[in-house]
């Protein structure tokens, strides 16, 4: 009986850890728990805009 | 309702954004910290209406005809997204420069409210600004604020003004129509006229006691801390002091208290389980979960003290001087002066550091910086440094300092190699950076920043590290036939059989045992895993407990359990610090480089550099300390020789390319 309780506790800890990882990923947080990650996760989309803007700027400067 | 926060770099936009929204976005007392726009709702205490107001924090811009990608984001947003109101944050200590952008914002026709920030500093300098006259001349409300203050900061009045102007149409005091942005001459003429208008305006509203050509105390301090010869030793001394406080004095005292609590909890759970629970489940819970996570969390106080001190250094304005000091070396190896910003940000976490490379226009420089930024020891590597400094080097502060400066040296060396390989060895760059005023650092901001990092560290330890440690514990407990490993037969475990082939390649580096190889492998998922895995594979639950493990007296017990000499320990530390940081950082490199050849070349370079540095450290160190070369010298030498030869081959190829380019240019 005690073994089942311990196994249940371990599985519960794993489930909570996996749950937190999945929920953060769904929120778009790239690194679990990181407060700065909210910005990091926007990197790819903003980066594409930036690159386009950079090309325009470079042309403008040239 | 959407309001945009726009202003010059380092005018205090993110500080205002945090104060208005209650967020904890990263702020720094230097230009270029925000490279992306951020959005959040304004707190109810500032907004009593039923309408929700979203504040958008934009990257700093000097003008709306942008020269950098961050400025482009700002220009793009205010022109195309049409916010209801623009809050233009104006640095009251630098009015003439700040109002250039203000006049451009006023031309857009969107209601503008000027938040005159840092008015506490102008009072100190005895500079008087006629706010009413400024408001009249600019045809928009001007509110004095001190965004860094908690009370009496003027933010209530600012939002009140914002709500009162929403329906107003904005008049522009300086307006020029139909300028062809592709016509450089026309743009320049308009800019000159705009500057003249701003200068006249400033002269009529501002009364300064100090003239700008007078030498201030700040100028005198800068002459020393940003000096071409003194700057670097001063930086080294400051970093050594930071490491002394965090890793030798204050950090370990706090860590010992936390370590004691972890141990009490461990013993409590151990007693609760008693002898009736299956040893497999018991060891998974005690050693895998509590022991592994506890070993990593035990280093939290050291990391918190270090981050607190780094936040203080950044907030007082010193890190901007470091950028100036390092620029001298960086531009000689073909990096952009802007490369120092991602590298300094990378001391917290490599990922935002790699992200910050976006501000570098030159593609080669941007990719090179993204590739080299992870060489700076990030927060995740600190537990590894603290562990090895504590166990093998008597908590010496020089270990951490050495790792930082080795990181910088490797970045310079790496940049030199990449410059030769890409055939751009004659490229030079120029870096202009505004030096912020020195100020007394905000303890509250440093605490907020430290707590935010601490929270992230604990969440990571309770999720990724926990799962990895549990997996390591399970792999160590069972054989491939899923039988429980017998006592003393650990080498028959799944973990040992998976790690042993890698351990073979690590013999020339001084740590060719499966336990250390396993820890190094899990470190590629997250670097804190190195500590967690070592705790699990050696069944050491608490690295910090000085009574139990005698860390202060040299950690002989842990050292003997690991079976490493001091030289091999240093080599292991170097290998873990200078090989690729984690999968997330590689993902960020992929996003920023946008080129698979560069990405895999970068990862291979990081592996090669980590291996080479560890090999040199172990073999030379062993030769000096014992008089003979270390184990596996011959095949380690062959591997390193192949790596170095290949790099030289690529550099020669790059040199030929440079010659061809130069000939073409001459013709």
């Amino acid at each position: 009986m005690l073994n089942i309780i311990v196994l249940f506790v371990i599985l519960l800890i794993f489930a909570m850890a996996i749950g937190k990882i999945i929920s953060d990923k769904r929120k778009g947080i790239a690194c679990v728990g990181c407060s700065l990650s909210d910005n990091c996760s926007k990197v790819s989309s903003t980066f594409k805009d930036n690159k386009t803007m950079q090309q325009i700027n470079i042309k403008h400067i040239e | 309702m959407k309001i945009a926060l726009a202003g010059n770099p380092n005018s205090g936009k993110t500080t205002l954004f945090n104060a208005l929204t209650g967020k904890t976005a990263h702020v720094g007392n230097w230009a270029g910290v925000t490279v992306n726009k951020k959005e959040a709702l304004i707190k109810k205490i500032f907004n009593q209406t039923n309408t929700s107001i979203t504040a958008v924090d934009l990257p700093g811009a000097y003008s709306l005809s942008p020269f950098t990608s961050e400025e482009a984001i700002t220009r793009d947003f205010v022109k195309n997204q049409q916010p209801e109101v623009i809050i233009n944050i104006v640095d009251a200590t630098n009015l003439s420069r700040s109002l250039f952008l203000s006049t451009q914002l006023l031309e857009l026709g969107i209601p503008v409210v000027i938040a005159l920030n840092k008015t506490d500093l102008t009072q100190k300098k005895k500079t008087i600004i006629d706010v009413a006259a400024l408001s009249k001349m600019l045809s928009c409300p001007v509110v004095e604020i001190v965004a860094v203050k908690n009370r009496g900061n003027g933010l209530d009045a600012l939002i009140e003004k914002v709500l009162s102007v929403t329906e107003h149409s904005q008049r522009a005091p300086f307006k020029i129509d139909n300028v062809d942005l592709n016509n450089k001459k026309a743009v320049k003429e308009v800019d000159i006229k705009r500057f003249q208008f701003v200068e006249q305006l400033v002269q009529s509203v501002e009364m300064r006691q100090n003239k700008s050509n007078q030498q201030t105390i700040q100028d005198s301090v800068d002459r020393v801390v940003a000096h071409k010869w003194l700057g670097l030793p001063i930086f080294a001394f400051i970093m050594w002091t930071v490491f002394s406080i965090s890793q030798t004095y204050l950090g370990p005292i706090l860590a010992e208290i936390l370590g004691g609590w972890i141990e009490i909890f461990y013993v409590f759970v151990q007693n609760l389980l008693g002898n009736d629970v299956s040893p497999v489940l018991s060891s998974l819970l005690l050693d895998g979960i509590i022991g592994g996570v506890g070993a990593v969390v035990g280093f939290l106080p050291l990391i918190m003290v270090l981050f607190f001190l780094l936040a203080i250094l950044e907030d007082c304005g010193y890190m901007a001087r470091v950028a100036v000091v390092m620029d001298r070396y960086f531009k000689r190896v073909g990096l952009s002066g802007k490369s120092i910003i991602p590298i300094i940000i990378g001391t917290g976490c490599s990922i935002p550091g790699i992200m910050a490379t976006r501000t570098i226009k030159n593609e080669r420089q941007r990719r090179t910086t993204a590739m080299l930024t992870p060489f700076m020891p990030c927060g995740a590597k600190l537990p590894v440094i603290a562990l090895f400094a504590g166990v093998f080097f008597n908590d010496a502060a020089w270990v951490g300092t050495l790792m930082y400066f080795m990181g910088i040296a490797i970045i310079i060396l790496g940049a030199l190699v990449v410059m030769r390989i890409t055939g751009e060895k004659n490229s030079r760059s120029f870096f202009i950076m505004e030096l912020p005023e020195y100020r007394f650092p905000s303890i509250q901001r440093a605490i907020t920043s430290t707590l935010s990092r601490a929270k992230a560290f604990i969440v990571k330890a309770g999720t990724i590290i926990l799962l990895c440690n549990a997996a390591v514990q399970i792999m160590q407990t069972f054989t491939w036939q899923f039988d429980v490993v017998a006592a003393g037969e650990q080498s028959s475990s799944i973990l040992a059989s998976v790690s042993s082939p890698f351990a073979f390649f690590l013999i020339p580096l001084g740590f060719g045992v499966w336990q250390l190889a396993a820890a190094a492998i899990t470190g590629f998922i997250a670097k804190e895993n190195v500590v967690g895995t070592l705790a699990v594979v050696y069944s050491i639950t608490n690295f910090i407990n000085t009574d139990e493990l005698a860390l202060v007296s040299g950690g002989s017990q842990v050292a003997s359990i690991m079976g490493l000499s001091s030289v091999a320990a240093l080599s292991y530390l170097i290998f873990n610090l200078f090989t690729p940081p984690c999968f997330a950082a590689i993902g960020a490199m992929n996003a920023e480089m946008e080129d698979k050849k560069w990405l895999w070349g970068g990862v291979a370079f990081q592996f090669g550099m980590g291996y080479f540095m560890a090999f040199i450290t172990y073999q030379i160190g062993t030769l000096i300390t014992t008089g003979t070369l270390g184990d596996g010298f011959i095949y380690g030498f062959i591997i390193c020789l192949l790596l170095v030869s290949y790099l030289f081959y690529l550099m020669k190829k790059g040199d030929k390319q440079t010659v061809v380019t130069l000939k073409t240019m001459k013709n």
Side-chain angles (χ1 to χ4, degrees):
Chain A
M1 184 63 186
L2 195 60
N3 281 330
I4 293 168
I5 294 169
V6 174
L7 182 65
F8 178 74
V9 169
I10 293 170
L11 291 176
L12 189 70
I13 294 169
F14 287 172
M16 283 164 69
I18 294 166
K20 173 71 181 159
I21 295 170
I22 293 170
S23 97
D24 274 11
K25 292 280 174 202
R26 279 190 183 160
K27 282 181 203 162
I29 298 171
C31 304
V32 182
C34 180
S35 59
L36 299 171
S37 205
D38 193 29
N39 300 320
C40 290
S41 53
K42 290 176 190 160
V43 169
S44 50
S45 59
T46 317
F47 179 63
K48 284 189 175 68
D49 297 343
N50 283 356
K51 269 210 93 176
T52 318
M53 292 312 299
Q54 275 180 10
Q55 300 311 321
I56 295 166
N57 293 337
I58 291 164
K59 275 181 190 160
H60 176 67
I61 293 161
E62 282 167 356
Chain B
M1 179 181 167
K2 202 166 256 187
I3 55 168
L5 309 184
N8 284 178
N10 203 37
S11 57
K13 294 173 295 302
T14 306
T15 309
L16 177 64
F17 175 79
N18 287 347
L20 290 174
T21 62
K23 295 278 171 188
T24 52
H26 182 62
V27 289
N29 183 18
W30 53 336
V33 174
T34 308
V35 292
N36 203 349
K37 69 176 194 290
K38 291 188 275 289
E39 292 187 18
L41 283 175
I42 284 185
K43 285 194 280 190
K44 275 285 167 198
I45 51 162
F46 297 115
N47 175 23
Q48 310 291 338
T49 64
N50 291 327
T51 322
S52 58
I53 309 175
T54 305
V56 183
D57 179 27
L58 296 168
Y62 291 109
S63 103
L64 287 185
S65 42
F67 282 90
T68 64
S69 54
E70 316 93 276
E71 287 189 335
I73 294 176
T74 301
R75 195 266 310 261
D76 217 24
F77 184 83
V78 293
K79 281 197 166 176
N80 303 334
Q81 302 282 315
Q82 293 283 318
E84 271 85 347
V85 181
I86 298 171
I87 297 182
N88 174 211
I89 296 94
V90 165
D91 182 351
T93 63
N94 214 331
L95 211 52
S96 56
R97 194 204 54 211
S98 307
L99 292 179
F100 185 89
L101 175 71
S102 308
T103 57
Q104 288 183 321
L105 292 172
L106 289 162
E107 275 188 85
L108 298 172
I110 301 166
V112 174
V113 175
I114 288 189
L116 197 62
N117 195 19
K118 306 186 188 179
T119 45
D120 54 335
L121 295 177
T122 52
Q123 282 166 12
K124 270 186 197 164
K125 288 181 164 184
K126 294 175 185 164
T127 301
I128 299 161
I129 298 169
D130 186 343
V131 176
L134 182 65
S135 171
K136 200 177 167 191
M137 291 174 87
L138 288 174
S139 311
C140 70
V142 178
V143 183
E144 289 182 277
I145 64 160
V146 185
V148 292
K149 268 192 183 175
N150 286 330
R151 285 178 196 159
N153 49 19
L155 301 193
D156 293 309
L158 178 69
I159 297 302
E160 204 177 296
K161 282 286 177 207
V162 167
L163 291 167
S164 71
V165 297
T166 46
E167 301 299 322
H168 291 196
S169 59
Q170 184 62 58
R171 204 172 68 80
F174 180 89
K175 194 168 176 66
I176 288 187
D177 297 315
N178 304 324
V179 183
D180 180 10
L181 287 175
N182 293 317
N183 184 343
K184 275 172 108 177
K185 201 178 164 192
V187 171
K188 199 178 170 185
E189 276 172 16
V190 170
D191 284 352
I192 290 170
K193 281 182 190 167
R194 196 183 294 277
F195 268 122
Q196 285 168 347
F197 171 78
V198 169
E199 277 306 315
Q200 282 170 7
L201 196 150
V202 171
Q203 275 175 17
S204 54
V205 299
E206 187 187 67
M207 273 181 61
R208 277 177 179 254
Q209 292 283 333
N210 297 327
K211 298 291 173 200
S212 56
N213 58 354
Q214 281 177 344
Q215 293 295 308
T216 60
I217 299 171
Q218 175 170 311
D219 295 332
S220 312
V221 175
D222 278 347
R223 267 209 199 93
V224 180
V225 295
H227 187 268
K228 63 176 177 179
W229 301 120
L230 292 174
L232 205 56
I234 289 172
F235 179 43
F237 175 74
I238 288 173
M239 287 309 289
W240 178 82
T241 310
V242 164
F243 272 102
S244 293
I245 298 169
S246 63
Q247 317 236 321
T248 311
Y249 298 107
L250 184 60
I253 295 168
L254 300 173
E256 205 173 317
I257 297 167
L258 181 65
W261 293 345
I262 293 167
E263 204 175 331
I264 289 168
F265 182 66
Y266 181 95
V267 173
F268 169 75
V269 176
Q270 196 175 31
N271 292 337
L272 205 68
L273 297 178
N275 297 323
D276 300 332
V277 177
S278 148
V280 174
L281 289 176
S282 172
S283 66
L284 180 59
L285 185 61
L286 286 171
D287 301 329
I289 297 174
I290 301 172
V293 174
V296 177
V297 173
F299 289 98
L300 181 64
L302 280 76
I303 291 163
M304 284 178 76
V305 174
L306 185 82
F307 278 132
F308 178 80
L309 296 172
L310 289 179
I312 293 277
L313 282 180
E314 196 181 325
D315 203 37
C316 73
Y318 176 69
M319 289 317 248
R321 274 75 189 174
V322 173
V324 174
V325 171
M326 296 312 299
D327 175 50
R328 188 181 314 281
Y329 306 99
F330 278 15
K331 69 183 172 194
R332 284 186 187 179
V333 292
L335 281 180
S336 159
K338 271 194 166 183
S339 301
I340 187 63
I341 297 171
I343 287 163
I344 292 178
I345 292 174
T347 56
C349 173
S350 295
I351 297 161
I354 294 166
M355 265 176 66
T357 58
R358 263 178 292 156
T359 62
I360 302 167
K361 274 201 284 283
N362 180 295
E363 198 171 58
R364 184 193 64 83
Q365 290 175 337
R366 189 178 70 246
R367 286 171 173 168
T368 310
T369 310
M371 183 180 115
L372 299 172
T373 296
F375 282 119
M376 281 310 278
C378 65
K381 291 173 183 173
L382 291 176
V384 191
I385 297 176
L387 171 67
F388 281 82
V391 170
F392 294 94
F393 304 100
N394 205 11
D395 279 327
W398 65 261
V399 179
T401 316
L402 177 73
M403 292 304 125
Y404 266 76
F405 279 85
M406 259 184 91
I408 293 172
I410 290 174
I411 287 169
I412 291 173
L413 183 71
L416 206 63
V417 170
V418 176
M419 187 173 70
R420 290 277 302 272
I421 291 174
T422 51
E424 291 190 35
K425 66 175 180 178
N426 294 305
S427 67
R428 287 284 181 274
S429 69
F430 298 94
F431 177 49
I432 300 167
M433 186 176 170
E434 187 187 335
L435 287 179
E437 298 247 346
Y438 286 110
R439 68 178 181 207
F440 192 80
S442 160
I443 303 296
Q444 195 204 350
R445 264 201 306 281
I447 289 173
T448 309
S449 159
T450 308
L451 289 178
S452 146
R453 286 177 191 276
K455 186 189 154 207
F457 186 83
I458 292 167
V459 173
K460 198 174 177 187
T463 51
I464 294 169
I465 311 293
L466 182 145
L467 292 171
C468 285
N469 288 340
V472 167
Q473 178 67 33
I474 292 167
M475 286 169 80
Q476 191 187 228
T477 308
F478 294 101
T479 62
W480 283 106
Q481 288 75 36
F482 228 67
D483 296 325
V484 176
V485 172
E489 296 288 325
Q490 275 80 8
S491 56
S492 63
S493 67
I494 298 171
L495 187 69
S497 60
V498 169
S499 315
S500 295
F502 294 98
F504 175 75
F505 288 100
L506 304 176
I507 293 170
L509 315 185
F511 45 87
V513 288
W514 67 266
Q515 291 93 334
L516 293 166
I521 294 166
T522 58
F524 295 124
I525 300 168
K527 275 289 175 249
E528 299 94 328
N529 267 334
V530 174
V531 174
T533 306
L534 287 177
V536 173
V537 294
Y538 288 118
S539 299
I540 303 164
T541 55
N542 186 1
F543 285 117
I544 296 290
N545 192 319
T546 49
D547 295 332
E548 189 185 328
L549 297 167
L551 291 195
V552 170
S553 62
S556 53
Q557 221 172 321
V558 184
S560 67
I561 292 171
M562 288 188 191
L564 287 176
S565 64
S566 296
V567 171
L570 192 64
S571 158
Y572 189 66
L573 180 60
I574 287 170
F575 180 80
N576 279 298
L577 296 195
F578 301 124
T579 44
C582 59
F583 289 150
I586 294 173
M589 278 166 64
N590 184 33
E592 295 303 323
M593 289 176 166
E594 283 202 325
D595 184 296
K596 291 283 178 270
K597 201 176 156 191
W598 267 89
L599 174 71
W600 295 118
V603 172
F605 183 76
Q606 289 168 356
F607 266 114
M609 187 56 93
Y611 193 93
F612 180 76
M613 295 306 290
F615 174 76
I616 294 284
T617 306
Y618 175 63
Q619 295 296 340
I620 294 178
T622 308
L623 186 66
I624 293 168
T625 50
T626 65
T628 54
L629 288 163
D631 297 337
F633 172 77
I634 299 292
Y635 79 83
F637 182 74
I638 293 168
I639 292 172
C640 289
L641 192 68
L642 287 172
L643 288 172
V644 174
S645 305
Y646 185 61
L647 277 183
F648 271 103
Y649 162 73
L650 291 175
M651 284 195 282
K652 282 276 173 204
K653 216 170 134 188
D655 286 349
K656 279 181 192 165
Q657 201 179 319
T658 311
V659 174
V660 172
T661 313
L662 286 173
K663 275 183 184 169
T664 318
M665 281 167 76
K666 272 183 187 174
N667 293 335

